[in-house]
Amino acid sequence: MTKRIIYGPILSRRLGRSLGVDVIKTLETKKNCNFDCVYCQLGHVPLKITRTDNVKGVVSPEEVVEGLRTYHKNIEDLDYITFSGTCEPTLNSGLGEMIKGIKEISPHPVCVITNSSLVDKENIRRNLSEADLVVATLVSGYEETFNAINRPAEEITLENIINGLKKIRRMDKRPILSIEVMMVDSNIDFPVNHTEREIEKLKEVLIEINPDEIEILTVSRPPAEDYIIPVSDDRLKQIATEFENTFGKERVKLVLKGVKKSHSKMKHGNIEEEVYDLIMRRPCTFRQISASLGIDDKELKPIIGRMLSSESIEETTVGEKNYYKIS
């Protein structure tokens, strides 16, 4: 199957009903990124991208606008248009122009989900300034923990990331800045980031950055490494309380498992391609696919069956849930 630029919508724990935009379309790898995070739902990065000019298969602003022009009209109830998918969106230097183009044809707010790797660069911050919301990852205030969890490409440092995030917050024209703190636990000896030492350092760094929002969440889909497990809800609630005491309840969002949004309402084209496009960006359960794309269970079941038979997707079990992912 081809890899389409526009996919979803996805029922996001954070953003509601979110239509995805994927700005690198190379099929040579399932994932185009300069991180190889231990918790990533898309698995390993075979080759980490080190520079924006090393990216292959970049999508143009014109392709994004044209793809969105037809696709989003089929969906009645979007909350966000979100740059994410199988790549780190800031690796595409045309990101700012894409956002401008989207705003000319759509009333929906635009979000960029970024791993924060390039925010120390002025042109990247300029691109991000066109968005309504930027959700930027920060897993630790310690370089060694950051390196263990995010496994960045060479020359990417936590110090540069922190400095870049501080500069975003100080821009005259800027998006809402939300810092995503992905908490991970492990069933082996691994530098996890939910200890009191880690939380104290994170609070120290976040005071410097001064974001508009802080999102606390944990792994909810099959991670790249099987030794990574979710942090318990009880511990997440404790951490959220610590952050609320420092930053105020209005700035802290605890994102727990489960989506409260109802099924999407959308007109379908090629349903099998829509299902494949969704699973390519994130492993999903049967129920998540049905709810995200608004497909009746009876219609979805034979589609999943055909895709499993053709080995375009495969099934994996994590905990008590069965997920479908790209083979």
Side-chain angles (χ1 to χ4, degrees):
M1 293 187 184
T2 59
K3 181 178 180 180
R4 295 191 293 186
I5 299 167
I6 313 298
Y7 64 95
I10 286 172
L11 296 187
S12 167
R13 292 182 292 165
R14 297 169 290 175
L15 301 174
R17 190 166 286 105
S18 172
L19 187 64
V21 184
D22 202 342
V23 294
I24 300 176
K25 59 183 176 182
T26 177
L27 293 174
E28 295 174 9
T29 174
K30 294 179 183 178
K31 182 175 163 186
N32 299 277
C33 197
N34 46 12
F35 279 10
D36 186 19
C37 300
V38 294
Y39 57 78
C40 184
Q41 62 198 12
L42 297 179
H44 287 293
V45 177
L47 181 64
K48 282 176 276 193
I49 298 169
T50 55
R51 298 162 54 100
T52 55
D53 52 10
N54 289 339
V55 179
K56 297 179 181 179
V58 291
V59 173
S60 70
E62 292 76 18
E63 287 177 291
V64 168
V65 171
E66 188 53 39
L68 192 67
R69 192 189 304 276
T70 54
Y71 198 100
H72 88 292
K73 290 180 180 178
N74 295 328
I75 306 165
E76 296 181 11
D77 46 2
L78 283 181
D79 295 303
Y80 273 96
I81 295 171
T82 304
F83 286 83
S84 182
T86 60
C87 69
E88 164 51 36
T90 61
L91 285 166
N92 190 318
S93 59
L95 179 62
E97 291 302 314
M98 294 175 189
I99 299 172
K100 288 180 184 177
I102 287 173
K103 290 187 173 183
E104 290 178 0
I105 64 169
S106 171
H108 303 294
V110 176
C111 172
V112 178
I113 298 177
T114 176
N115 63 19
S116 309
S117 57
L118 303 177
V119 294
D120 59 314
K121 301 180 184 346
E122 185 178 356
N123 65 314
I124 300 300
R125 295 195 300 273
R126 191 163 53 245
N127 284 340
L128 291 174
S129 73
E130 300 296 336
D132 298 290
L133 170 66
V134 168
V135 178
T137 298
L138 184 70
V139 298
S140 178
Y142 290 110
E143 193 86 35
E144 61 270 23
T145 309
F146 158 71
N147 285 325
I149 294 176
N150 289 144
R151 299 188 294 201
E154 293 181 8
E155 301 181 4
I156 297 174
T157 69
L158 178 60
E159 181 180 4
N160 285 346
I161 285 174
I162 293 170
N163 288 334
L165 292 171
K166 288 159 68 174
K167 289 178 181 178
I168 288 178
R169 188 64 175 85
R170 294 197 298 263
M171 290 191 300
D172 292 332
K173 178 188 176 183
R174 68 174 185 86
I176 295 170
L177 177 60
S178 179
I179 299 296
E180 173 195 87
V181 184
M182 175 63 77
M183 294 291 171
V184 299
D185 203 350
S186 179
N187 53 24
I188 64 169
D189 184 15
F190 180 81
V192 297
N193 62 343
H194 64 85
T195 64
E196 280 304 317
R197 173 179 178 269
E198 287 283 341
I199 299 307
E200 287 304 313
K201 185 63 173 179
L202 266 170
K203 287 193 292 185
E204 179 185 318
V205 170
L206 288 168
I207 288 170
E208 292 182 29
I209 296 170
N210 190 29
D212 299 288
E213 300 173 353
I214 301 167
E215 299 181 2
I216 300 168
L217 68 163
T218 192
V219 182
S220 64
R221 287 181 168 80
E225 300 291 358
D226 57 13
Y227 54 77
I228 295 299
I229 58 176
V231 175
S232 71
D233 283 358
D234 286 345
R235 179 57 182 148
L236 288 177
K237 290 174 184 177
Q238 290 172 357
I239 293 168
T241 298
E242 289 191 49
F243 276 83
E244 287 173 359
N245 290 339
T246 302
F247 300 99
K249 287 188 176 183
E250 69 281 355
R251 294 172 69 187
V252 178
K253 292 185 177 181
L254 174 58
V255 185
L256 296 174
K257 296 176 184 178
V259 176
K260 295 181 179 179
K261 284 276 183 179
S262 59
H263 282 53
S264 286
K265 299 176 182 177
M266 62 182 290
K267 298 176 183 177
H268 295 286
N270 186 316
I271 298 180
E272 191 161 327
E273 285 188 3
E274 291 169 7
V275 172
Y276 184 85
D277 285 338
L278 177 63
I279 296 173
M280 180 188 294
R281 275 70 182 210
R282 58 168 62 187
C284 292
T285 64
F286 185 94
R287 185 62 51 218
Q288 288 167 347
I289 298 168
S290 173
S292 291
L293 299 179
I295 304 172
D296 181 80
D297 289 3
K298 291 182 180 179
E299 188 174 11
L300 180 58
K301 188 173 181 179
I303 292 172
I304 294 294
R306 289 195 299 271
M307 295 174 78
L308 288 170
S309 297
S310 67
E311 299 184 350
S312 60
I313 65 170
E314 61 186 41
E315 191 172 8
T316 184
T317 302
V318 178
E320 298 179 352
K321 291 186 176 182
N322 294 330
Y323 288 85
Y324 300 103
K325 65 178 185 177
I326 300 302
S327 300

